[in-house]
Amino acid sequence: CGSTMLAKLVEANGARRLHVPAARQGREDWSVIPVSYRQVFLVRHPVDRFHSLYANIQQRKREPMNFYKQLEGLSPWDCFDKLLALSPDLMYDFHFQPQTTAVGPLEPEYVSLECFETWWALYAPKDTVPPKKNVNASGPYPAIDERTANRVMNRYLVDQKLWESAWASSTTSRRSATISSAA
């Protein structure tokens, strides 16, 4: 999660290894990253993550052949329903596949997205440009009803546990794992 923020962070720090116009286009497979590098995996609360995806789908109009075009204009419930119909295992696209899938065989340090800025200030090299919050391309999120949030939570229980165990600073008050605080 946080690909827009991470791409801007990479660009601000001149850390790109691939010759591409934008860092978002320069994703690398974990297998080519040196083992000496610190491995950090950003984790997002499952309902927040779906909320972001839903906002992105509704706010960014796509070409007719784009996968997400068929989800435009749907309610949150119907959007999630259609995602499940199109990809019952949720593996079609990394935007909605379980975050635990992306980890693979690695054993990275897990950091919650909302605490990454604090984590960076504590652990990143001091001569780096810090991450900037709220650089997501989606605007304000439309409301997600509690019934849909419960459905998302039930489908992503493993991700919920991962988020709950992710690094959070002692100065950050973790939201409770209840649906009402996530929705």
Side-chain angles (χ1 to χ4, degrees):
C1 71
S3 62
T4 302
M5 181 226 13
L6 288 173
K8 291 187 182 300
L9 179 64
V10 166
E11 288 172 355
N13 286 292
R16 275 186 284 174
R17 293 181 349 132
L18 300 176
H19 298 289
V20 292
R24 282 188 78 139
Q25 300 166 349
R27 293 191 169 117
E28 299 219 37
D29 186 273
W30 285 105
S31 65
V32 299
I33 306 300
V35 292
S36 60
Y37 282 23
R38 187 173 195 166
Q39 298 173 1
V40 178
F41 189 93
L42 296 185
V43 182
R44 193 168 195 179
H45 189 280
V47 175
D48 289 346
R49 191 166 174 244
F50 175 73
H51 219 167
S52 176
L53 173 63
Y54 180 74
N56 183 280
I57 290 168
Q58 302 312 316
Q59 294 169 9
R60 292 181 57 206
K61 302 305 176 204
R62 290 164 169 83
E63 297 298 319
M65 296 307 292
N66 185 289
F67 173 81
Y68 290 108
K69 181 71 175 172
Q70 61 195 315
L71 304 172
E72 290 176 1
L74 297 176
S75 69
W77 178 273
D78 292 337
C79 181
F80 194 63
D81 215 25
K82 184 124 185 186
L83 277 176
L84 290 172
L86 295 167
S87 180
D89 62 358
L90 296 172
M91 295 302 287
Y92 177 79
D93 186 84
F94 69 90
H95 287 102
F96 57 83
Q97 68 183 212
Q99 294 173 92
T100 50
T101 302
V103 177
L106 299 176
E107 294 182 21
E109 180 175 353
Y110 297 102
V111 178
S112 65
L113 179 62
E114 57 272 284
C115 296
F116 183 59
E117 197 171 9
T118 303
W119 181 93
W120 186 272
L122 293 171
Y123 300 110
K126 299 304 174 204
D127 60 342
T128 59
V129 176
K132 292 182 180 171
K133 278 187 169 181
N134 302 322
V135 294
N136 196 322
S138 302
Y141 295 174
I144 300 283
D145 60 281
E146 188 172 335
R147 192 174 128 217
T148 303
N150 281 324
R151 240 178 122 196
V152 170
M153 286 292 297
N154 286 331
R155 190 63 184 207
Y156 291 98
L157 287 174
V158 175
D159 282 357
Q160 172 66 24
K161 288 178 183 172
L162 186 65
W163 180 83
E164 289 172 355
S165 67
W167 184 91
S169 74
S170 59
T171 60
T172 303
S173 62
R174 291 289 277 191
R175 295 174 301 168
S176 70
T178 63
I179 297 304
S180 61
S181 66

